Amino acid sequence: MSLTVYGTTLTSRLFLGTSLYPSPQIMLNAIAASGCEVVTVSLRRESSAEKSGQAFWSLIESANVRVLPNTAGCRGVKEAVNTAHMARELFKTPWIKLEVIGNDDTLQPDVFGLVEAARILIDEGFEVFPYTTDDLVVAERLLNAGCQVLMPWGAPIGSGRGLNNRYALKSLRANFPDVPLIVDAGIGLPSHATDALELGYDAILLNTAVAKAGDPVAMARAFSLAVQAGRSAWQAQPMLPRDMAAPSTPVLGTPFRDL
């Protein structure tokens, strides 16, 4: 059940965000309940090293998980690259979740800026997790730039709509069978997470669906189980859908059939 990204082996296929929780303790309890080994952290949460930022970083350290810093809120290549450099210095990791936002309403990635920023950062030794769309051509450009993992959206960030374009997501999986694919954004229910893993996706990254739940800890546990169920179903090779009914009990040779 393990997943390997940039040479690091993870036993959990659930990545969890760290914003929007009702309290720091609930965040820590949700992380523990989820069983996740990677949490995303925005550099903007660390804006005051001596005050709240340092306290937040201490909390994350106490969770004993790997940190995936992100460039959330960046709207240009230069801003994203500069933020990534600051994150590497602060968190002491080459990992970076790269976001270059192109639209304020949908928070859709600026795929042109994303590819450019990814190329720059990879040349500088970063291990980039790009938040991207479900476009095949963009995926190829990101892989050619040196990305070893792709993070296509399921739906707009925070929308909770699930997998808006299953066809496109299935096409990505079919075209890049050996590339780790992580659905990032739009997941609202555990069933959405199961759906993605049943399509063959390798992991899920989410935040709002857990943090804004009535009981974030219980929801984190539910997502953990959903991811496990989806992965197990994918490995079990699910039956293909049919247009016509197929009896589960053979009728040939059954006694007392009507003549």
Side-chain angles (χ1 to χ4, degrees):
M1 186 97 179
S2 62
L3 167 66
T4 300
V5 288
Y6 287 110
T8 297
T9 299
L10 306 169
T11 57
S12 171
R13 293 174 179 268
L14 179 61
F15 293 40
L16 200 60
T18 56
S19 65
L20 305 176
Y21 290 87
S23 73
Q25 189 58 54
I26 289 176
M27 178 194 71
L28 290 178
N29 293 344
I31 291 172
S34 74
C36 75
E37 296 166 278
V38 178
V39 297
T40 60
V41 176
S42 171
L43 187 66
R44 295 170 189 271
R45 295 293 299 274
E46 294 292 319
S47 59
S48 176
E50 285 88 27
K51 298 179 182 177
S52 60
Q54 187 59 48
F56 180 77
W57 176 225
S58 296
L59 279 172
I60 296 299
E61 286 186 309
S62 72
N64 194 30
V65 290
R66 179 179 285 270
V67 172
L68 174 59
N70 68 48
T71 62
C74 292
R75 269 130 176 109
V77 173
K78 184 176 180 180
E79 184 183 9
V81 169
N82 288 341
T83 301
H85 277 281
M86 290 187 285
R88 180 165 65 178
E89 181 177 346
L90 179 62
F91 297 111
K92 310 302 181 186
T93 176
W95 281 16
I96 190 73
K97 178 191 169 187
L98 181 61
E99 297 184 25
V100 183
I101 300 302
N103 183 278
D104 289 337
D105 293 324
T106 64
L107 299 180
Q108 179 170 330
D110 171 359
V111 295
F112 306 101
L114 180 67
V115 172
E116 182 181 349
R119 184 175 291 111
I120 292 170
L121 291 173
I122 289 168
D123 286 345
E124 295 176 347
F126 284 87
E127 296 173 345
V128 175
F129 293 69
Y131 165 59
T132 184
T133 63
D134 48 28
D135 186 276
L136 276 174
V137 176
V138 175
E140 289 177 346
R141 296 290 176 85
L142 288 167
L143 293 174
N144 289 338
C147 294
Q148 295 181 24
V149 59
L150 298 173
M151 302 181 75
W153 65 353
I157 293 172
S159 68
R161 296 179 60 86
L163 308 185
N164 268 358
N165 193 338
R166 288 172 54 86
Y167 173 79
L169 291 171
K170 289 175 70 173
S171 295
L172 277 178
R173 180 72 286 173
N175 278 271
F176 308 112
D178 301 320
V179 176
L181 299 179
I182 302 171
V183 171
D184 176 14
I187 298 298
L189 295 169
S191 57
H192 298 158
T194 301
D195 194 13
L197 271 291
E198 286 176 347
L199 289 181
Y201 274 70
D202 296 286
I204 296 294
L205 192 158
L206 56 89
N207 189 165
T208 309
V210 169
K212 287 296 188 180
D215 185 340
V217 178
M219 188 61 76
R221 189 176 299 112
F223 270 105
S224 176
L225 295 171
V227 167
Q228 294 176 46
R231 180 63 180 179
S232 295
W234 165 256
Q235 291 177 317
Q237 301 179 9
M239 64 174 287
L240 297 176
R242 298 168 53 98
D243 292 329
M244 301 293 291
S248 57
T249 302
V251 295
L252 202 62
T254 300
F256 309 117
R257 293 182 62 199
D258 293 336
L259 299 177

